[in-house]
Amino acid sequence: MILRVQHLLARLGYRPGPLDGVMGRKTSAAIKAAEKASKLRQTGKPSGVLIAELDRRLARVVSGIAWLRLEDVQAIAPTFPAEHLPHLQAALFEIAATPLRAAHLVAQLAHESDRFRALEEYASGAAYEGRKDLGNTQKGDGKRYKGRGVIQLTGRANYRRAGEYLGLDLERQPDLAALPAVAYQTAAYYWLDRGINAKADRDDVKGVTKLINGGTNGLRDRKTLLSAAKHAFYVNIT
């Protein structure tokens, strides 16, 4: 129940912390905020009543998600492959994308994947060898768990967590993360796991970038892509 509540909260733009099924302070605070918004008694605890209310609210959001056209995405990144479109659409549905959220997600994915041309990073991954913060504790982990996917999933620990969430053994089969059908799933998971909807809803491109990149590398390009995405998706057009 806790993981389901965390997932619903993240999709609605709250920040429950990692999608790990653990009832921590961030999850409790997010529940209280959602309860307050829904005029429920603030308990900070998951319940059937809360899930039903979050499901109802989410249904309103996703009912307004329009499927993207190929030309919309190729207006942002002309090298976007047509065969990726259903996978991107599924990712947008997973994060309960509003037009603004969609613009931020697509802009970030375009930057991270070199305009959707690379589902595996160009470098060998040797630079990640021994990175305990990424869970790379065994010899060869750097190359084995190099960045893959449209958001460049990196490190043994991140592969394990994403795989557990998606029901895939990415730790034993890391190459799966470079398949389009998986690449967009891990991107949606990563987005929700870090509560990025909250930053996207505030149109905070710097904040979104920090949550994705850990810093502000490529911020100028990300802003350029975001501007193009807003035009393509009719966001803030006057």
Side-chain angles (χ1 to χ4, degrees):
M1 178 182 283
I2 295 173
L3 182 59
R4 183 179 177 192
V5 169
Q6 289 174 332
H7 183 228
L8 289 168
L9 289 167
R11 293 181 80 190
L12 286 167
Y14 295 99
R15 299 189 65 181
L19 304 183
D20 55 9
V22 177
M23 190 65 198
R25 287 182 295 178
K26 288 185 177 181
T27 298
S28 181
I31 288 175
K32 286 183 178 179
E35 288 173 327
K36 183 178 181 180
S38 297
K39 298 181 180 179
L40 298 174
R41 184 168 66 90
Q42 296 177 48
T43 66
K45 299 178 181 179
S47 67
V49 172
L50 175 66
I51 289 175
E53 175 61 19
L54 295 179
D55 274 334
R56 184 183 65 80
R57 289 174 55 188
L58 183 62
R60 290 204 306 267
V61 176
V62 298
S63 67
I65 297 175
W67 295 117
L68 294 182
R69 300 173 303 170
L70 180 61
E71 54 264 38
D72 294 330
V73 189
Q74 290 185 337
I76 305 161
T79 50
F80 178 79
E83 61 269 23
H84 285 201
L85 187 62
H87 305 305
L88 175 57
Q89 290 172 334
L92 292 174
F93 185 84
E94 179 65 11
I95 70 165
T98 61
L100 181 57
R101 290 177 184 178
H104 276 274
L105 177 67
V106 172
Q108 293 289 336
L109 296 187
H111 177 84
E112 290 289 314
S113 64
D114 188 19
R115 273 42 175 197
F116 302 99
R117 287 178 292 214
L119 297 188
E120 184 171 318
E121 69 173 300
Y122 297 129
S124 70
Y128 305 122
E129 189 70 11
R131 286 277 303 273
K132 292 183 179 180
D133 59 314
L134 295 174
N136 290 343
T137 58
Q138 298 181 28
K139 186 176 181 180
D141 277 357
K143 292 183 178 181
R144 182 170 173 78
Y145 300 105
K146 65 188 292 187
R148 293 185 181 89
V150 281
I151 213 165
Q152 299 292 288
L153 187 70
T154 307
R156 179 188 285 271
N158 287 323
Y159 274 74
R160 181 190 303 121
R161 286 198 64 227
E164 289 173 349
Y165 182 81
L166 298 173
L168 299 170
D169 195 349
L170 296 181
E171 187 174 4
R172 290 185 62 184
Q173 302 180 77
D175 289 342
L176 291 177
L179 298 176
V182 179
Y184 288 88
Q185 288 184 62
T186 60
Y189 157 75
Y190 191 98
W191 190 271
L192 293 175
D193 190 54
R194 284 154 180 76
I196 301 177
N197 271 342
K199 295 290 186 181
D201 288 345
R202 292 196 288 272
D203 201 15
D204 180 3
V205 62
K206 188 174 183 180
V208 169
T209 298
K210 285 184 175 180
L211 288 172
I212 293 222
N213 175 258
T216 56
N217 290 340
L219 183 59
R220 179 178 296 179
D221 182 56
R222 295 173 202 262
K223 286 182 175 179
T224 298
L225 288 165
L226 177 60
S227 178
K230 285 180 175 178
H231 280 278
F233 303 154
Y234 301 98
V235 180
N236 296 338
I237 301 298
T238 57

